[in-house]
Amino acid sequence: FWFSAFSVLHVQYSRCPPGLTHAAALDAVVDRIASRLPEPISAAGNMLRGQHARVTGIFDQFGRHPHRNAILARLSTPEEGA
């Protein structure tokens, strides 16, 4: 589980355009990982699904990670600052 989950996170947090495209294609992978978890850690699957949904939503809205703007010396757009 952990290796698979961290692999998903690696793609989700990529800064390059191919990574942004691949992040949206991870829905089936995330569901498969989450559905295979044993009962004692099944809540981790829901957390993984939630994280994926949040990151994908940010990509869809802004096309990048606005929380990285300051560290990357990028200006925030008015939409990101709202």
Side-chain angles (χ1 to χ4, degrees):
F1 163 75
W2 298 116
F3 179 77
S4 299
F6 284 116
S7 296
V8 167
L9 292 174
H10 173 73
V11 174
Q12 286 179 332
Y13 284 95
S14 172
R15 290 187 303 228
C16 63
L20 300 175
T21 302
H22 293 136
L26 287 174
D27 292 342
V29 174
V30 168
D31 283 337
R32 189 173 76 214
I33 293 168
S35 68
R36 292 182 177 184
L37 294 177
E39 183 58 38
I41 61 168
S42 63
N46 293 331
M47 290 188 296
L48 182 63
R49 283 183 178 118
Q51 175 73 11
H52 176 64
R54 284 187 296 280
V55 171
T56 301
I58 290 169
F59 284 164
D60 290 346
Q61 187 173 1
F62 303 113
R64 62 185 186 174
H65 293 285
H67 69 275
R68 294 180 177 169
N69 288 349
I71 194 95
L72 296 173
R74 293 189 302 216
L75 296 176
S76 293
T77 65
E79 294 82 16
E80 291 171 344

